[in-house]
Amino acid sequence: MVRAAVIGCGDVSVVHLEAIDRIDGSELVGVADVDPEVAGAAAAKYGVPGFTGTTELIEAVRPDVVQISTPHDQHVDVALACLQAGVSVLSEKPVAHTTAEADRLVRWSAEHPEAVVGVCFQNRYNATSQAVRDLLSTGELGAVRGAFATVAWHRSPAYYAKRPWRGERVRAGGGSLINQAIHTIDLLQWLLGEVTAVGGRAGTYLLGEVVDVEDSAQLILDHADGVRSVMFATNTAPLDFPVSIEIVTEKATLLIRGDLTITYADGRVDVVPERRAESGGRSYWGVSHELLIADFHAHVAARKPFWIDPAEAVKSLAIIEQVYALSR
Ligand SMILES: NC(=O)c1ccc[n+]([C@@H]2O[C@H](COP(=O)([O-])OP(=O)(O)OC[C@H]3O[C@@H](n4cnc5c(N)ncnc54)[C@H](O)[C@@H]3O)[C@@H](O)[C@H]2O)c1
């Protein structure tokens, strides 16, 4: 039995709490939130002890795993407190609000290879992402010529007013890139290869009166082997359009937009449907949190390193930080 606890009981925590409830062999043993009312409400709802501090929770319930869903600037402090107490950690994305902060965790993990540490990039577990990764790895579609991706979502002033940290650079690290588009940036670099050069600009076009972070950005990413991807991300769209990633190879075009549509040069079309699993949360969080969490717990039980570790997770953050530097 993997005994799990959740620290940070806001919006996304529901997905973690419900996943732990559903996963065979996993058990929720406690929750914590710096806001005593939030901690109390989650504790009452799930019938487990609630705490306001990380150390307090660890000492009282000795979990095997802590899942962190706090604001970005809290991830590394909470993670290190857990890891130093011998507890495995699965943190929500981004690994941290800056690469300097992330490096503290990357260094600690490198010095403690026995520790199981992961970051929640659940879209790598999507059926569509995995199918693209498999197809590209065989080489059967010929060389990749390039890719184009969009994340056009709607985040209202109320979204930021409800949780002010989301609009504060000092706490969130940034806006649409680090909070929303980071999943797609992570997928581009995972599917097309590590990024060797970054171009782009981020700016605030609509939400400047409520946030000091960017609401829109364009990116140009050079991957290894001369492959380039371009991307547009915004939180100013009138609604949440489906994320799209279109990859063109010598023999086919692969379009992830909900499902994956593969259009071959000879006119054949294949569709790989995305799973319609319950996520317990909002549709745009995707369907794969539970798969990632179950896999992470399996790694904890087997005491095996997790594949999306801090060093892996910092790659998307480093790309984003370069765009911020270019935009100053
Ligand atoms: N993977 C995804 O698809 C996905 C989706 C949504 C959010 N997220 C990430 O999840 C995290 C949380 O986002 P959210 O929207 O749920 O935020 P939120 O503001 O709704 O909740 C955060 C909670 O953490 C608590 N908190 C703050 N500091 C704390 C600390 N040091 N210890 C304990 N509790 C603390 C707050 O009181 C709050 O209740 C962020 O990193 C966000 O980027 C990921």
Side-chain angles (χ1 to χ4, degrees), residues 7-13 32-35 38 52 54 69-72 74-75 78 92-94 120 122 163 165-166 171 179 183 285 289:
I7 296 188
C9 299
D11 284 351
V12 85
S13 69
D33 196 291
V34 283
D35 183 331
V38 174
T52 51
T54 300
S69 48
T70 63
H72 302 167
Q74 301 295 301
H75 289 181
V78 175
E92 264 298 350
K93 47 51 65 169
C120 203
Q122 74 276 7
R163 304 278 198 256
W165 70 265
R166 293 174 179 157
R171 297 206 63 200
N179 204 342
H183 287 292
W285 292 342
H289 257 103

